[in-house]
Every structure is written in C-alpha cells, then in structure tokens.
Amino acid sequence: MILRSAPALIAVAALSAFALTTFAQPPKEWGIHDMNRPQPKVIEPGTASTADQPGRPPSDAIVLFDGKDLSRWRADKDAGPAGWKVENGYMEVVKGAGGIHTEQGFGDVQLHIEWRTPTPAHGEGQERGNSGVFLMGRYEVQVLDSYRNRTYADGQAAAIYGQFPPLVNASRAPGEWQEYDIVFHRPRFDRVGKLVSPARMTVFHNRVLVQDDVELVGATAHGRRAIYSAHPDRLPLLLQDHGKPVRYRNIWMRELPER
C-alpha cells in the first residue's frame, strides 16, 4: 500500500475533479439549448427482424448482404470470388472454402449481423456450429451453438474470443435466427506503430447486452495471450469458415464518426 501526504492527495483529487469537469462539458462553441446548434441528420431507423423475415436496415446503413449475392465479399485466402452458398435469403459456410471478407474496409462501426447454427445440433463444445465475426479481420466475436452446450467461457457465443465471456448466455435454440448488434471502436496507433488507445467493443446478443464497452487486450487468438500489432485504420470485416454450415443473413454496417 502506498501512503500519500495530505497535499498530494488533495492535488490528485483536484486533478481528477478537473478532468471530470473538463470531459463532462459540452463543446464550448455552443451554448446550452442553443437553437443554432446543427441538428442531427434525419434517417429512417428500419425495422426489427422476425423469426422468418430479416428486418429493414437503417437508411444510412451500408448493406453488406441482403440475401441475394456475395458481390461485396471476397475469399479471404486469395481475394477471389467468395465461395459460400447463397440461397433462400441467406449465405452458408461451405466447408473448405475458407473465410470471406468484405471488399470494403472499416474502422469505427455499428454492425448488425444475424446467424443461425445447424439443426439438428451435432457435436459438443467448440464442434457445434462454430464460426466467428472478425472486426477488422482481427477482433473476433465468437459464433457458436451455446444452447445447452458447455465449453470454455471465453469461447462461447458472444464471447470476445479468448478474452471476455459474455455477461450472460442469451443463446436461442439451434435452427433459430440469432442477432448480434456490435459497436466497435478501432485501436489507435501512433506514427511508429505504438498503441495509443485499445479497441473497445459493445455487443448485444438477441437484444441483450453481453459485452459492455470492454477494452480489448489485443487481436483475438486461440490458446495464447492476445497482443496488438499496428495495422491500417480501415480493414475488412471477416466471417470464419470453421467447417460448420453456419448461415448468415441481414448484414449491415453504419460507419461512426472518428473520436
């Protein structure tokens, strides 16, 4: 335990109060309730999905998959055409085809994605309906059939793989469509590649908060500690081929203003 003198404690308290006051203030160029302050952009918010029908994305969203084709996606292994199956409004992992990634790169985003694991369920633990959603191709939110299926906590559905278990298990039964709504803020690096601020992520699984603005400790990895390595500010979204016929539908993103 470190003992501090009274003047030192007062100085620390004053500095903390100053920081809180500073960051709590609205931008000084606008007065409180100033009618001249610019109004937020008006958008159509879209509609919620049902068990049988995907919802309509917000009007300002970038639609990455609308159930028709994979024109916005490429094969991850060679950047050729994406080799997954498309039918009945969904895409399905084709075993051995490899992961697929978006042609477009992204930084800070809101991501909506819906997924469905095979029914009847096969296997146990990590062998049941395994796939993954990789922000910037590096930071994974696990996809898994975690309905009455025990595995390691930081590898179940809605875990930030190898780092943070979800706050609760909000999984639906296999064969039912599930939803992730993810808010992701990319890591920041300085000019020489040193980490300035880590990536942060908030995740809702089936509209339940399961990751609450967590601070990632690095790129997700299997069986080893995560670390950061410098990378571009914008990178593609990647979906994983883990050999299971997981289905995806209704994938869209909204790019967020840089902090």
Side-chain angles (χ1 to χ4, degrees):
M1 184 167 122
I2 299 174
L3 297 176
R4 298 177 185 266
S5 66
L9 290 172
I10 292 170
V12 170
L15 181 60
S16 299
F18 172 77
L20 289 171
T21 301
T22 300
F23 289 111
Q25 294 301 311
K28 292 183 179 179
E29 63 267 30
W30 306 109
I32 303 299
H33 309 317
D34 188 340
M35 289 297 293
N36 293 314
R37 191 170 184 173
Q39 296 290 309
K41 177 183 176 181
V42 177
I43 68 165
E44 290 293 328
T47 59
S49 295
T50 66
D52 301 318
Q53 187 70 31
R56 188 175 69 251
S59 59
D60 65 343
I62 299 169
V63 178
L64 299 174
F65 179 67
D66 62 1
K68 298 176 182 177
D69 59 55
L70 294 173
S71 58
R72 287 183 171 268
W73 299 81
R74 307 299 293 174
D76 190 54
K77 58 185 177 182
D78 59 9
W84 291 11
K85 179 170 66 175
V86 177
E87 63 181 22
N88 300 322
Y90 62 79
M91 65 165 86
E92 182 176 296
V93 177
V94 173
K95 183 178 181 179
I100 62 174
H101 67 252
T102 56
E103 289 188 318
Q104 186 174 351
F106 301 94
D108 294 357
V109 295
Q110 174 190 348
L111 168 66
H112 177 88
I113 185 166
E114 300 175 20
W115 52 277
R116 175 177 168 177
T117 57
T119 184
H122 294 285
E124 296 181 356
Q126 293 291 301
E127 294 305 310
R128 189 182 294 181
N130 195 323
S131 184
V133 177
F134 288 75
L135 281 298
M136 305 191 87
R138 296 167 183 251
Y139 309 103
E140 180 187 9
V141 180
Q142 173 77 317
V143 169
L144 193 75
D145 177 0
S146 289
Y147 184 79
R148 300 177 181 173
N149 177 37
R150 183 176 172 81
T151 187
Y152 44 88
D154 58 4
Q156 73 168 67
I160 297 178
Y161 190 77
Q163 299 185 37
F164 298 100
L167 296 173
V168 293
N169 182 344
S171 296
R172 293 177 176 145
E176 295 186 37
W177 283 104
Q178 312 208 44
E179 302 177 43
Y180 284 160
D181 289 284
I182 300 170
V183 177
F184 175 77
H185 291 280
R186 65 173 178 83
R188 267 63 174 173
F189 302 93
D190 65 17
R191 292 183 180 180
V192 297
K194 181 180 178 181
L195 181 69
V196 175
S197 59
R200 305 188 71 89
M201 200 180 300
T202 296
V203 181
F204 289 83
H205 182 194
N206 297 327
R207 299 185 296 279
V208 176
L209 179 67
V210 293
Q211 302 287 352
D212 187 6
D213 192 31
V214 294
E215 189 174 281
L216 277 64
V217 297
T220 51
H222 176 67
R224 57 184 172 84
R225 291 293 181 186
I227 60 172
Y228 279 104
S229 57
H231 57 70
D233 293 346
R234 298 172 66 86
L235 286 170
L237 171 72
L238 182 144
L239 303 180
Q240 182 186 40
D241 168 16
H242 204 280
K244 309 302 178 185
V246 175
R247 296 174 179 177
Y248 291 95
R249 73 176 187 183
N250 195 24
I251 307 173
W252 51 261
M253 271 192 183
R254 296 180 62 249
E255 294 191 280
L256 302 177
E258 289 283 320
R259 286 183 172 178

